[in-house]
């Protein structure tokens, strides 16, 4: 809220100040009080001015007022590639209660209120459901159903009932990789992967649209490899496409 930009690198957690046009660098220390140079990724800033971030595969926070670090033993070595937090799109700075993290070892749900980590689709001995699965993205809807992007399509998962549903077909065609997705204002899901952009209607639980490159039509998407998806406040859908930007 002060207009600073927080940047994570493989060396440090960094803060850029527009007024001074300078960076300030922060490091977590190890048990020998040595600065850890590892992969830092800022995640979220809550209402108490606590900046949550990962370092390596672990979780910590930095109080922006006191500049004091806090490490969280219950989330040590469980952070993975992709993070998602349970914040409202309209109010960023509020209490943070859960962090969802996914990649090669399935889904890890970091419960900050209860100070524990839950494992799903994981190889961890405390795994609560499912066999180990590579998951590329996770999204929670208003009914607290988790939507998972996997190499076998789009998966819905209810953590309470342990019920899963796999959606991997558009009409009669099989959908393989779903790597990136986002929700629109109607709670429908736009999905990208290696074969264009798909529209999933959550009311009828089906993929109903598929956008792919057509060399004969210059108004189609430029490439079929989708590397990110974002919907702005005017309902425009923005995509990163490889290799055209």
């Amino acid at each position: 809220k002060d207009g600073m930009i927080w940047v994570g690198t493989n060396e440090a957690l960094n803060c850029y100040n527009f007024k001074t046009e300078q960076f300030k660098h922060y490091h977590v220390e190890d048990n020998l009080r040595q600065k850890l140079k590892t992969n830092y990724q800022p995640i979220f800033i809550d209402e108490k001015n606590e900046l949550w971030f990962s370092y390596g595969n672990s979780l910590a926070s930095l109080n922006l007022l006191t500049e004091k670090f806090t490490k969280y033993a219950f989330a040590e070595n469980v952070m993975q590639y992709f993070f998602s937090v349970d914040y409202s799109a309209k109010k960023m700075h509020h209490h943070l209660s859960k962090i969802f993290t996914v990649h090669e070892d399935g889904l890890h749900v970091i419960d900050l209120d209860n100070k524990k980590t839950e494992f799903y689709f994981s190889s961890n001995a405390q795994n609560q459901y499912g066999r180990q699965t590579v998951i590329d993205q996770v999204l929670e809807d208003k009914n607290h159903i988790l939507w998972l992007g996997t190499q076998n399509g789009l998966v819905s998962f209810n953590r309470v009932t342990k019920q899963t549903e796999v959606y991997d077909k558009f009409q009669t065609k099989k959908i393989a990789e779903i790597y990136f997705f986002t929700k629109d204002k109607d709670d429908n899901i736009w999905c990208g992967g290696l074969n264009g952009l798909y529209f999933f209607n959550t009311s009828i639980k089906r993929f109903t649209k598929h956008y792919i490159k057509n060399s004969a039509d210059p108004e189609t998407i430029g490439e079929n490899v989708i590397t990110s998806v974002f919907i702005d406040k005017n309902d425009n859908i923005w995509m990163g496409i490889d290799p055209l930007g």
Side-chain angles (χ1 to χ4, degrees), residues 24 40 44 59 68 81 89 96 108 121 123 177 205 218 222:
K24 187 172 182 179
Y40 289 83
F44 185 81
L59 179 69
K68 178 184 176 182
Y81 172 74
L96 181 62
H108 301 171
F121 308 102
S123 62
E177 301 88 352
K205 300 291 192 301

Side-chain angles (χ1 to χ4, degrees), residues 120 128-129 157-164:
Y120 304 92
Q128 296 188 33
Y129 179 82
F157 175 54
N158 187 320
R159 289 168 53 223
V160 177
T161 65
K162 304 295 190 297
Q163 182 178 359
T164 61

Side-chain angles (χ1 to χ4, degrees), residues 14 38 57-58 93 125 127 140 144 162 189 210 214 238:
N14 312 279
T38 184
N57 292 320
S58 299
H93 298 272
N127 184 51
E140 185 177 35
H144 303 294
K162 304 295 190 297
I189 302 175
H210 183 206
N214 181 351
W238 297 81

Side-chain angles (χ1 to χ4, degrees), residues 54-95:
S54 69
Y55 66 101
N57 292 320
S58 299
L59 179 69
S61 65
L62 170 66
N63 189 288
L64 302 185
L65 302 179
T66 65
E67 295 194 340
K68 178 184 176 182
F69 284 104
T70 303
K71 298 179 184 178
Y72 300 92
F74 61 90
E76 188 172 338
N77 294 320
V78 301
M79 304 296 287
Q80 298 190 85
Y81 172 74
F82 181 85
F83 311 106
S84 179
V85 295
D86 59 339
Y87 58 78
S88 164
K90 295 182 179 178
K91 186 178 180 183
M92 298 291 287
H93 298 272
H94 81 300
H95 174 69

Side-chain angles (χ1 to χ4, degrees), residues 26-37 40 53 55 69 71:
Y26 297 85
H27 297 86
V28 174
E29 293 182 347
D30 62 18
N31 295 333
L32 299 176
R33 305 295 299 273
Q34 298 296 311
K35 293 179 179 178
L36 283 176
K37 292 189 176 181
Y40 289 83
F53 66 95
Y55 66 101
F69 284 104
K71 298 179 184 178

